[in-house]
Structures are given as C-alpha cells and as structure tokens.
C-alpha cells in the first residue's frame, strides 16, 4: 500500500481514468488505424473507394441519429428528411448563389438543425410510438416542400458543383475520400466527447426516465431540443457531403426506407455507444454490397419466383434486424466490449 491506494495506482488520476485513450497500446492502435485508413486510396479500387466514401457519410448521419435516439431516447424515423435539407441547402448555396463550399457545409447543418428544433418541439408532448409518427410526418413535409420549390429543381432535382476548398477541387473519389474521412473522424471525436459531458449525461438521464430527470433538475425542454439540433445538424452535414459527392440531388435519394435503414444501423451497431453507428454503418453498407453481388447471378435463374431478387435486399435487412433484436439487442458494440473484457481477463473466465 502507498498513500492509501493499492499498489500500482500511484499515478491514478480522474483525468487519466476518463481519457479516451488510456494506455500506450491504445495510442499505438489509434495511430496504426489512422495510417491504414488514410492510405486506403493507395490499395483500394475506385469501386471500393466509393463504398468507403458512402460508409463515411453514413457514419456521420448515423452518429447524429444515435445522439438523438441512442443517447437521448427521442426516436426519429424521419432522419433522411433532415439529410435532404442539408443536401439541398448546400446544393442551392453553391449552385444558385455560387457561395463557397466552406460556407455551404456549416449552413446546411445549421438549417437542418433549425428545422429539427421545430419538429423537435413535438417531443415535449409525445414520446415513443407517437414521436416516431411525428418524425415520419416531418420527413413527408420536408420532401413535399422541396419538391414544390423551384429553387431546388422540384421533382427533377438539381446538379451540384464539386466541393472546393482553398482552390482545391474535390473531383476524384480519392480526393473526396480525404474530405469525407476527415469530417467523419471529427464527428466521431465530437460525439465521443459530447457523451462524456454534462449534456451527454443529461441525454442519458432523459432517455432512461425523463420524469426522474426532470425531478433531478434537468430541463427537458432544453435538452430534448439540443438533442434534436445536434442530431439534425450532423444529418445536414452528411447531406451536404452526399450532394457534393454524387454531384446531383433529388428527393428520391432520401426516402422513408433510408430513414428506417438508419434506425436499423444503430440497432445493429449498438444504440447509446459511440462505436455503434460506426459498426452499424459498416455492417449495413457491406450487407448491401453482398446482396447486390448475390442478386446478379440469381436474376438469371428461371425457376425463382418473379420479383425474388428485387425483394431480397429488404428481406435480408429485415431478417438481420430481427435476429439482432432477439439474439443481441445491445448490438455489435456490446459484443466488442465483451470480447475486450475476455481478452483482458484471459485465461480467467468472464
């Protein structure tokens, strides 16, 4: 014993215990992971680089939904609508008004966050199933408005210029990869730190029991709206990156199916964890690629029922969601934590 603390804890501090990366091994793995990530354009084909770019944008959007639903407990099934707000805001600002991308990107997030606050007011009166219905209504209203505005191109959509920063134009998948991944890393770091702040702890309290949270002095009005703003702000950022990545935006890119897909991502990955949206986005996007790969040869088989390959993707997605809800309701992040714990305690049982 030394100074009243057990042996080996002489350098213990609260800051060290709360640090994201606590050991040299953690820092080494982080550096190796970043090196592998940012050298991906050297060894990935153009096709798979496009898939990785899509995963990066999806992680940003799913992280926003996770902060809103996973941490604060405000179920949103209209997330794609707020992504559409960000996409069309960035498209209009850069194409119609010829503003720079560095202005359009935060403006897209701010407008999506502001609209999220408007629809988030409903969360003060309703919750659960009724809140989910109100967010579906939000998506329907948003898409209807976009389709009936001439400045957005209406039902036809509109072209979007490539993103440009300090004279550097992001045209190729390789250059877009760095833009998207830098944004994704910043968003993940932001979400991880937010979850450990007073705001993050208030979100969890509201999610677990909003009545008890209010009795403890947490302002439900403030924190629910903050959650909606942050979640929709990140959705707007993802929408802006999507618009400049594709080069064209249409409301067909932001369907209710996509909103359900994002909810499925945080279920599969693990709601209420920073790692969950990452694992969920990777799992769902790779699952989509696998289904597409399988569907191509199956389309040529005559004895399969009509529409079999067209319905294979939603069937597979639904089946995976059901299996996770039954077998691993806490998602892949929980399974990863169990693996880390068993690794640390090996050869002892856990």
């Amino acid at each position: 014993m030394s100074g009243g603390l057990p042996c080996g804890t002489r350098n213990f501090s609260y800051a060290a215990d709360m640090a994201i990366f606590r050991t040299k091994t953690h820092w080494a793995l982080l550096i190796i992971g970043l090196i592998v990530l940012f050298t991906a354009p050297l060894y990935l084909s153009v096709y798979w680089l496009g898939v990785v770019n899509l995963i990066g944008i999806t992680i940003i959007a799913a992280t926003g939904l996770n902060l809103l639903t996973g941490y604060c407990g405000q179920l949103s099934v209209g997330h794609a609508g707020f992504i559409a707000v960000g996409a069309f805001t960035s498209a209009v600002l850069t194409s119609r008004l010829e503003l720079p991308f560095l202005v359009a990107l935060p403006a897209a997030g701010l407008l999506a966050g502001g609209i999220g606050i408007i629809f988030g007011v409903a969360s003060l009166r309703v919750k659960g199933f009724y809140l989910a219905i109100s967010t579906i209504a939000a998506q329907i209203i948003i898409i209807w408005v976009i389709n009936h505005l001439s400045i957005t191109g209406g039902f036809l959509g509109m072209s979007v210029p490539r993103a440009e920063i300090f004279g550097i134009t992001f045209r190729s998948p390789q250059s877009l990869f760095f833009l998207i991944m830098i944004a994704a890393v910043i968003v993940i770091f932001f979400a991880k730190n937010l979850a450990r702040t007073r705001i993050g702890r208030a979100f969890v309290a509201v999610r677990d029991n909003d009545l008890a949270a209010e009795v403890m002095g947490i302002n439900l009005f403030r924190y629910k709206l903050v959650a909606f703003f942050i979640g929709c702000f990140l959705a707007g950022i993802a929408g802006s990156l999507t618009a400049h990545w594709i080069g064209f935006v249409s409301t067909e890119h932001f369907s209710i199916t996509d909103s359900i897909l994002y909810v499925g991502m945080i279920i599969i990955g693990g709601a209420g964890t920073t790692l969950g949206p990452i694992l969920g986005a990777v799992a769902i996007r790779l699952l989509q690629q696998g289904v597409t790969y399988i569907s191509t040869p199956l389309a040529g088989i005559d004895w399969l029922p009509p529409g079999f390959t067209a319905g294979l993707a939603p069937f597979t997605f639904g089946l995976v969601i059901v299996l996770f809800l039954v077998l691993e309701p806490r998602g892949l992040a929980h399974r990863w934590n169990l693996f880390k714990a068993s690794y640390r305690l090996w050869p002892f049982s856990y």
Side-chain angles (χ1 to χ4, degrees):
M1 301 289 289
S2 176
L5 293 174
C7 294
T9 60
R10 205 175 285 180
N11 295 324
F12 174 82
S13 69
Y14 180 74
D17 184 60
M18 291 297 294
I20 300 176
F21 304 102
R22 295 187 295 272
T23 66
K24 293 181 180 179
T25 302
H26 290 165
W27 280 105
L29 291 175
L30 171 66
I31 294 171
I32 293 172
L34 290 176
I35 291 174
V36 172
L37 175 64
F38 285 101
T39 56
L42 300 177
Y43 52 83
L44 288 180
S45 64
V46 173
Y47 174 81
W48 281 107
L49 206 57
V51 173
V52 174
N53 286 341
L54 176 60
I55 290 174
I57 295 174
T58 304
I59 287 173
I60 296 173
T63 298
L65 181 61
N66 184 54
L67 289 172
L68 175 60
T69 301
Y71 279 98
C72 198
Q74 307 305 299
L75 181 59
S76 174
V77 195
H79 205 58
F82 300 104
I83 298 174
V85 172
F88 279 93
T89 299
S90 191
V92 169
L93 291 179
T94 55
S95 180
R96 309 289 195 207
L97 304 181
E98 299 183 353
L99 292 176
F101 171 73
L102 285 180
V103 173
L105 180 65
L110 290 173
L111 183 59
I115 294 177
I117 288 178
I118 295 173
F119 288 102
V121 173
S123 67
L124 305 175
R125 293 291 182 180
V126 298
K127 61 179 66 175
F129 170 77
Y130 300 100
L131 179 59
I133 294 299
S134 70
T135 55
I136 292 176
Q139 167 149 352
I140 295 173
I141 293 171
I142 289 171
I143 297 302
W144 186 90
V145 170
I146 292 174
N147 280 332
H148 288 80
L149 287 176
S150 59
I151 195 172
T152 61
F155 290 91
L156 299 177
M158 61 182 297
S159 298
V160 186
R162 295 299 181 183
E164 183 176 339
I165 300 177
F166 302 128
I168 302 174
T169 303
F170 297 86
R171 297 183 183 276
S172 65
Q174 290 81 3
S175 60
L176 283 166
F177 170 86
F178 292 105
L179 175 64
I180 292 170
M181 287 304 145
I182 290 173
V185 169
I186 292 173
V187 167
I188 294 168
F189 183 76
F190 165 77
K192 181 65 176 178
N193 282 280
L194 180 69
R196 306 185 309 152
T197 64
R198 180 180 180 180
I199 294 176
R201 293 192 295 270
F203 284 173
V204 173
V206 172
R207 178 196 67 192
D208 292 343
N209 192 318
D210 56 355
L211 181 60
E214 190 172 26
V215 171
M216 293 168 59
I218 294 175
N219 190 320
L220 297 184
F221 177 80
R222 178 193 305 166
Y223 284 105
K224 283 185 177 181
L225 293 189
V226 167
F228 267 96
F229 176 80
I230 295 175
C232 295
F233 175 86
L234 295 182
I237 295 297
S240 176
L241 292 173
T242 300
H244 293 279
W245 173 54
I246 298 176
F248 181 84
V249 286
S250 168
T251 52
E252 294 180 358
H253 296 147
F254 312 101
S255 65
I256 191 67
T257 303
D258 294 311
S259 294
I260 297 173
L261 201 66
Y262 282 108
V263 175
M265 287 176 191
I266 64 174
I267 292 175
I268 292 174
T273 64
T274 308
L275 184 62
I278 302 173
L279 296 178
V282 172
I284 290 299
R285 293 307 185 191
L286 292 182
L287 181 65
Q288 289 177 325
Q289 295 300 315
V291 171
T292 302
Y293 180 78
I294 295 174
S295 298
T296 303
L298 290 179
I301 301 178
D302 296 332
W303 52 266
L304 289 176
F308 177 82
T309 54
L312 185 60
F315 169 79
T316 305
F317 174 71
L319 178 62
V320 170
I321 291 293
V322 170
L323 290 176
F324 267 90
L325 289 173
V326 173
L327 302 177
E328 189 54 271
R330 296 172 68 178
L332 294 171
H334 175 64
R335 185 55 52 186
W336 171 247
N337 288 333
L338 292 180
F339 170 77
K340 290 194 300 181
S342 63
Y343 174 78
R344 286 195 302 265
L345 296 173
W346 187 87
F348 303 103
S349 61
Y350 175 70

